[in-house]
Amino acid sequence: MKLTEPQALNRVAAYCSKAERCEYDVRKKLVAWELESDAIKRIIDRLKKERYLDDARFAKSFINDKMKFNKWGKAKIIFELKKKKISESIYNPVFEELSGDEFEEQLMHILTIKAKSVKGKNDYDRKTKLIRFALGRGFPIDLTIKCVNKLLGGDYEESVS
């Protein structure tokens, strides 16, 4: 669908006002509307000037939402931010504000719930499945092993492949 520059500006401003958006998502939408590159640049510059678009604000909101609602770990959040072309200099300060305890509490919570449904031949098998689950959610191996040991007891070694 081809739009004029004023139509695209109005639509994308409404798009940005509904939720936090990043420049990458907005640019993708403008390209799909078949706008010329100079028009896209003018629209993005105007959105930034009028504070509809702010990658730092987006990163803070994204990190908060993914931690609280999706129960993701730091690695998975960073992976998704990189896919959206958010630079390290933008998201690192947001992670520095967070304490490591928040991730540990969150991991303990999801592991406690998951442990109720995980079946295994023995304790080692159950722990391995829980560790794989936590790693898939983006939590670091050292924190994962610490939480699994705290939850199920014992000393699970870091020699997991």
Side-chain angles (χ1 to χ4, degrees):
M1 141 172 71
K2 195 160 173 71
L3 295 175
T4 64
E5 190 172 332
Q7 287 175 322
L9 177 63
N10 287 338
R11 282 196 183 180
V12 85
Y15 174 69
C16 290
S17 66
K18 290 178 186 161
E20 289 296 339
R21 310 289 180 187
C22 64
E23 182 179 337
Y24 175 76
D25 290 341
V26 171
R27 186 175 297 278
K28 235 172 52 176
K29 197 168 265 307
L30 293 171
V31 168
W33 291 339
E34 301 172 14
L35 276 115
E36 295 177 17
S37 60
D38 58 326
I40 291 173
K41 186 183 180 332
R42 283 194 301 271
I43 289 172
I44 287 178
D45 288 343
R46 181 155 175 204
L47 290 172
K48 284 182 176 179
K49 192 179 106 198
E50 295 179 10
R51 298 194 36 87
Y52 280 98
L53 198 57
D54 184 351
D55 279 353
R57 198 175 59 211
F58 168 79
K60 188 171 186 138
S61 169
F62 185 85
I63 291 167
N64 183 48
D65 288 355
K66 296 306 175 189
M67 273 183 63
K68 285 191 173 61
F69 302 118
N70 296 53
K71 308 286 190 230
W72 286 0
K74 187 175 179 179
K76 189 166 184 172
I77 294 171
I78 289 173
F79 178 76
E80 292 298 323
L81 286 170
K82 284 181 179 179
K83 277 180 27 182
K84 292 186 177 289
K85 312 277 191 257
I86 305 292
S87 77
E88 241 179 86
S89 62
I90 292 174
Y91 64 75
N92 272 344
V94 179
F95 279 118
E96 287 171 12
E97 289 174 14
L98 300 171
S99 70
D101 294 344
E102 291 178 54
F103 283 108
E104 186 174 346
E105 287 171 20
Q106 184 175 314
L107 180 56
M108 280 302 292
H109 175 72
I110 64 171
L111 284 175
T112 303
I113 292 169
K114 185 68 175 175
K116 294 174 186 171
S117 65
V118 169
K119 308 274 186 274
K121 292 176 251 171
N122 51 36
D123 279 350
Y124 182 83
D125 196 33
R126 285 187 70 217
K127 285 181 181 182
T128 304
K129 287 179 180 184
L130 286 172
I131 288 171
R132 267 196 241 117
F133 170 75
L135 292 177
R137 286 286 183 103
F139 290 95
I141 185 77
D142 55 333
L143 179 63
T144 300
I145 289 174
K146 176 183 167 189
C147 290
V148 167
N149 283 336
K150 197 185 294 184
L151 185 66
L152 299 178
D155 285 334
Y156 193 93
E157 297 299 318
E158 278 196 48
S159 60
V160 179
S161 53

